């Protein structure tokens, strides 16, 4: 027990020690020197292969896994549509045949002659391409070759899986650097407004940048040597998360260090005290966010499953930097780093006339009326949830209309709706003769191809074209009917690709919401109970965060639907928004309530001591938590600049939720609930009973 009590003090002494601080700085210089080269390679580890995205255990995933056993391996067809109103000409047909010959060396399989539409106004050239990390580059070559030398009046568009990969690659490739720069600028502006110091704002920003470099290096090494999946777009979420949490933790430590500098003449002693007192909420926050993210390991979706450990790595790297590098840097620089508002030893705490002191005075007389009013506002916003539609179609995957969507519409005018992404049926070779006719009898099937044997002869693959577009409910019904029809004559058959993949993705997202959301709630509640040593306070805090989430979801849906003209939420948004809002939203309540608990423990016993502790906790944490909320909202809000609709929706949802939580829930509703509940807020802990006050800290000479 003695060792456990001394351990936090010893750890706090490392970055704040007179000689140890230099060792910590040198260690971080070495870490950064090693990390930067690896961090720069993270983009090379991004995988665009569809198999990694698909749900674990789904039929569509099994089809992708079996693809290498067939000639040509894993393919992503590029579909070139040649169309002319009034009918294609001989020159048009010659152009398509010439492209087929020119593109044959680039293809991963045989390039069949162009197929004509029934109306005679279009040709379709299928170029099978290898589905690997270079798919987007090959697709661009295909598109450029087809557009070169086209007869006047002939429309040529690239669509299909290869066209989609090209559009997504263009979308992500153009924004990563700009997003990081925009994030840094926004964080810098918030920090300048917070500190009004020409130097101090640099330290949280520098720590966030170092955290991101270390995180990127660790993720790259795990991707290269441990098979960690890194998807397109994951780096954007990682940037927002790491910048946000690292800056938040830095702001909290800086605020506590400033307080301790007034109580300690020696800055090393002040930092030791600041680390001891700030460690509990900061470590608990990091535990809440990282463990919440690790709950994604229960997910079926490949993107969700991989984001869990990657996000947790980012949070833990941010924690490590803030609890070691930042304290050492601050102690080396000395008090003058706070110039022009330098905290001096023996200075009285700032007068309680700030914004949050005034908010507390307004809340205190009628706390029940206040929290009921806040609840009414949140409930009104939550009503927007009732009109939500989920599941974006391919036309709205990007915020602009991608060329592959234009090509798909052009093809749909002349060919069956499912032509751009056919289904694939894989069955045992012996069952293939029965599988084909069974599939052909299913309503909604436009065409069934001939069985193609695997290289070992044990399997057969059948391509199936549907009447309807792959992202339509009608196509999903056809897939379910096909799977049911195959259960008898070909029980080993699996149906994947096209509409089957879309259906399995939607089912997996529904599973992930059912599995992950209760798990996150349980984990976060347990962490709050351990930190606050109470039951009522954690339950009330969790209730406010959940209500805040639904309010943000309803409000953001109104924005998406009526301001941005988006017809639905992406299936990822509800889960990602919940995860980030609950894990990150609890942070600010945790910072507030843990400080309130500390202040209540110092005050006199009885209702007056509890009331004073709540108001004092709000007054001393209000400014730093508001700044942290602005930083986090800014980092996620930057995702709204991306051309990818899913990222826009996640970014704006989390930004709106964080602002609601920061300026309404945490600053008004939670203090009102704590005041209304009285000491019962801490039940069944020690503070729920009348207890002697702890002695407040006094200035010390060291």
């Amino acid at each position: 027990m003695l060792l456990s009590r001394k351990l936090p003090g010893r750890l706090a002494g490392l970055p704040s020690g007179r000689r140890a601080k230099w060792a910590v700085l040198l260690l971080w210089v070495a870490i950064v020197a090693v990390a930067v080269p690896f961090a720069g390679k993270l983009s090379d580890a991004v995988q665009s292969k569809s198999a990694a995205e698909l749900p674990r255990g789904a039929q569509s995933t099994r089809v992708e896994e079996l693809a290498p056993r067939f000639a040509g391996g894993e393919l992503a067809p590029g579909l070139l549509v040649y169309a002319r109103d009034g009918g294609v000409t001989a020159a048009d047909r010659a152009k398509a045949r010439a492209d087929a010959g020119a593109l044959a060396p680039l293809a991963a399989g045989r390039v069949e002659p162009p197929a004509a539409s029934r109306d005679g106004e279009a040709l379709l050239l299928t170029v099978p391409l290898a589905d690997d990390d270079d798919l987007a580059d090959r697709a661009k070559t295909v598109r450029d070759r087809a557009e070169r030398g086209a007869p006047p009046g002939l429309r040529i568009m690239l669509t299909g899986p290869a066209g989609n990969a090209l559009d997504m690659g263009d979308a992500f490739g153009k924004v990563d650097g700009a997003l990081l720069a925009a994030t840094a600028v926004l964080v810098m502006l918030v920090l300048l407004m917070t500190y009004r110091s020409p130097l101090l704002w640099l330290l949280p920003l520098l720590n966030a940048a170092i955290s991101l470099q270390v995180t990127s290096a660790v993720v790259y090494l795990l991707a290269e040597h441990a098979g960690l999946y890194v998807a397109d777009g994951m780096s954007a979420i990682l940037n927002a998360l790491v910048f946000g949490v690292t800056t938040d933790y830095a702001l909290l430590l800086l605020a506590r260090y400033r307080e301790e500098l007034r109580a300690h003449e020696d800055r090393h002693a002040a930092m030791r005290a600041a680390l001891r007192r700030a460690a509990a909420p900061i470590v608990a926050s990091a535990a809440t966010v990282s463990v919440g993210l690790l709950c994604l390991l229960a997910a079926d979706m490949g993107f969700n499953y991989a984001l869990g450990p990657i996000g947790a790595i980012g949070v833990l790297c941010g924690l490590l930097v803030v609890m070691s590098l930042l304290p050492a840097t601050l102690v080396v620089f000395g008090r003058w780093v706070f110039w022009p508002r330098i905290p001096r030893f023996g200075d009285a705490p700032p007068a309680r006339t700030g914004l949050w002191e005034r908010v507390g005075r307004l809340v205190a007389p009628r706390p029940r009326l206040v929290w009921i009013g806040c609840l009414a506002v949140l409930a009104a916003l939550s009503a927007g949830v009732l009109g939500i539609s989920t599941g974006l179609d391919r036309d709205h995957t990007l915020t602009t209309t991608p060329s592959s969507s234009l090509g798909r519409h052009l093809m749909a005018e002349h060919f069956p709706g499912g032509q751009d992404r056919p289904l694939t049926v894989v069955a045992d070779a012996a069952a293939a003769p029965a599988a084909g006719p069974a599939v052909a009898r299913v309503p909604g099937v436009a065409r069934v191809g001939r069985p193609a044997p695997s290289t070992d002869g044990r399997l057969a693959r059948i391509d199936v074209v549907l009447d309807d577009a792959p992202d339509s409910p009608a196509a999903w019904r056809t897939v379910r009917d096909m799977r049911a029809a195959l259960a008898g004559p070909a029980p080993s058959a699996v149906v994947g690709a096209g509409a089957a993949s879309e259906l399995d993705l939607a089912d997996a997202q529904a599973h992930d919401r059912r599995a992950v959301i209760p798990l996150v709630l349980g984990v976060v509640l347990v962490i709050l109970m351990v930190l606050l040593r109470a039951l009522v306070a954690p339950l009330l805090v969790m209730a406010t965060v959940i209500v805040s989430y639904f309010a943000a979801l309803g409000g953001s849906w109104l924005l998406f639907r009526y301001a941005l003209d988006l017809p639905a939420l992406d299936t990822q948004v509800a889960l990602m928004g919940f995860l980030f809002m609950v894990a990150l939203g609890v942070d600010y309540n945790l910072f507030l309530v843990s400080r309130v608990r500390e202040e209540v423990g110092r005050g006199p016993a009885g209702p007056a001591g509890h009331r004073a502790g709540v108001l004092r906790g709000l007054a001393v944490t209000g400014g730093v938590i508001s700044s942290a909320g602005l930083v986090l909202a800014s980092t996620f809000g930057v995702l709204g600049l991306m051309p990818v609709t899913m990222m826009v929706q996640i970014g704006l949802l989390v930004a709106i939720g964080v602002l609601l939580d920061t300026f309404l829930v945490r600053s008004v509703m939670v203090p009102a609930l704590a005041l209304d509940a009285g000491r019962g807020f801490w039940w069944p802990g020690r503070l729920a009973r009348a207890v002697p006050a702890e002695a407040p800290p006094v200035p010390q000479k060291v």
Side-chain angles (χ1 to χ4, degrees), residues 427-438 441 451 460 462 489-490:
D428 292 337
R441 289 191 294 270
I462 303 171

Side-chain angles (χ1 to χ4, degrees), residues 287-299 304-305 307-313 316 516 519-520 523 579:
T288 301
V289 180
S290 57
V291 175
L293 285 164
L294 288 175
C295 290
L296 287 172
L297 292 174
N304 296 344
Y305 182 84
L307 180 60
I310 289 176
I313 290 168
L316 294 177
V516 174
L519 192 57
V520 171
V523 165
L579 180 69

Side-chain angles (χ1 to χ4, degrees), residues 162-209:
N164 296 335
L166 176 57
D167 289 335
M168 295 300 289
D170 287 344
F172 283 114
K174 294 176 181 177
V175 297
D176 276 353
L179 279 176
L180 189 57
T183 301
V185 170
L186 279 175
V187 171
M188 178 190 71
L189 292 175
V190 173
L191 294 176
L192 278 171
M193 290 188 297
T194 300
Y195 292 116
R196 284 167 278 178
S197 167
L199 178 62
L200 188 59
W201 64 272
L202 276 170
L203 296 184
L205 197 62
L206 177 63
N207 277 260

Side-chain angles (χ1 to χ4, degrees), residues 582-601:
V582 169
L584 298 172
V586 163
D587 271 7
Y588 302 131
N589 291 284
L590 193 154
F591 294 159
L592 168 68
V593 178
S594 62
R595 184 58 185 264
V596 167
R597 186 182 188 282
E598 180 181 333
E599 296 295 337
V600 170

Side-chain angles (χ1 to χ4, degrees), residues 423 442-445 466 468-485 499-500 503:
L423 296 175
V442 175
V445 172
L466 303 185
D468 302 294
D471 52 9
S472 67
W476 293 5
R477 286 193 297 271
T478 303
V479 172
R480 294 189 193 277
D481 292 342
M482 284 178 56
R483 288 173 172 171
L503 173 62

